[in-house]
């Protein structure tokens, strides 16, 4: 039996600072596959949006009874942002993306059995690898091929993936 659950990518951007002199200002995004609509918090020069600068659109999470899953694609865009007047600009083609972290909930319980694989189009992203994807957008999808046995596979499944986008315009 296959359960179809809808999800929405929640892009929540957090400004981060780094101790490196050449560190780029980063914007972070939480990708949540569940149906919860999230917001976006920009960095000092970037904001993460959905396609064409709009809201992050709803996609689908396909969960099997053993807890394995795949998903449809959701597009995130890194766009120039001017905080003084809240202006969202064009896609930033020199942005770098990082898959920061992920978490899976089954019926509101965190599972340790699921191993989330995050893909940008067909390219698997390595967790923590700064700049593992580059360009003005990512087309994300997720999957898990490990059966979930540590929690009940019931109710609503949710996958939370945090992505960071950064760009240093001074370089």
């Amino acid at each position: 039996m296959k359960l179809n659950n809808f999800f929405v990518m929640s892009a929540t951007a957090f400004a981060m600072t780094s101790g490196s002199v050449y560190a780029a200002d980063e914007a972070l995004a939480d990708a949540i596959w569940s149906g919860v609509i999230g917001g976006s918090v920009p960095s000092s020069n970037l904001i993460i949006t959905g396609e064409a600068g709009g809201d992050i659109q709803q996609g689908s999470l396909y969960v099997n009874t053993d807890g394995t899953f795949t998903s449809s694609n959701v597009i995130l865009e890194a766009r120039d942002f001017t905080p003084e007047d809240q202006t969202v600009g064009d896609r930033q083609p020199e942005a770098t993306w990082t898959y920061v972290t992920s978490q899976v909930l089954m019926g509101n319980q965190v599972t340790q059995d699921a191993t989330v694989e995050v893909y940008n189009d067909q390219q698997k992203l390595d967790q923590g690898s700064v700049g593992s994807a580059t360009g003005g957008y990512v087309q994300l999808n997720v999957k898990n091929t490990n059966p979930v046995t540590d929690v009940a596979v019931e109710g609503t499944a949710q996958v939370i993936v945090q992505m960071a986008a950064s760009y240093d315009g001074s370089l």
Side-chain angles (χ1 to χ4, degrees), residues 10-24:
S10 166
T12 306
F14 299 95
M16 292 185 66
T17 57
S18 174
S20 172
V21 173
Y22 300 104

Side-chain angles (χ1 to χ4, degrees), residues 114-133:
T115 303
V116 178
E117 295 178 14
V118 179
Y119 292 86
N120 175 28
D121 196 15
Q122 300 297 320
Q123 177 188 355
K124 184 177 177 183
L125 301 179
D126 294 323
Q127 185 176 356
S129 180
V130 176
S132 57

Side-chain angles (χ1 to χ4, degrees), residues 122-147:
Q122 300 297 320
Q123 177 188 355
K124 184 177 177 183
L125 301 179
D126 294 323
Q127 185 176 356
S129 180
V130 176
S132 57
T134 58
Y137 72 98
V138 289
Q139 182 174 288
L140 299 177
N141 60 71
V142 296
K143 78 175 186 178
N144 168 48
T145 57
N146 294 334

Side-chain angles (χ1 to χ4, degrees), residues 64-141:
N64 298 306
T65 57
D66 66 355
T68 58
F69 56 80
T70 59
S71 75
S72 63
N73 293 329
V74 170
I75 295 174
L76 293 179
E77 294 184 346
R79 291 186 162 267
D80 292 326
F81 181 72
T82 306
E84 294 78 22
D85 60 5
Q86 302 290 298
T87 301
V88 176
D90 294 332
R91 278 196 310 200
Q92 180 45 255
E94 295 181 27
T96 59
W97 293 87
T98 305
Y99 160 34
V100 179
T101 189
S102 61
Q103 183 178 53
V104 177
L105 291 91
M106 297 282 178
N108 295 321
Q109 294 184 26
V110 176
T111 175
Q112 301 301 315
D113 286 348
T115 303
V116 178
E117 295 178 14
V118 179
Y119 292 86
N120 175 28
D121 196 15
Q122 300 297 320
Q123 177 188 355
K124 184 177 177 183
L125 301 179
D126 294 323
Q127 185 176 356
S129 180
V130 176
S132 57
T134 58
Y137 72 98
V138 289
Q139 182 174 288
L140 299 177
N141 60 71

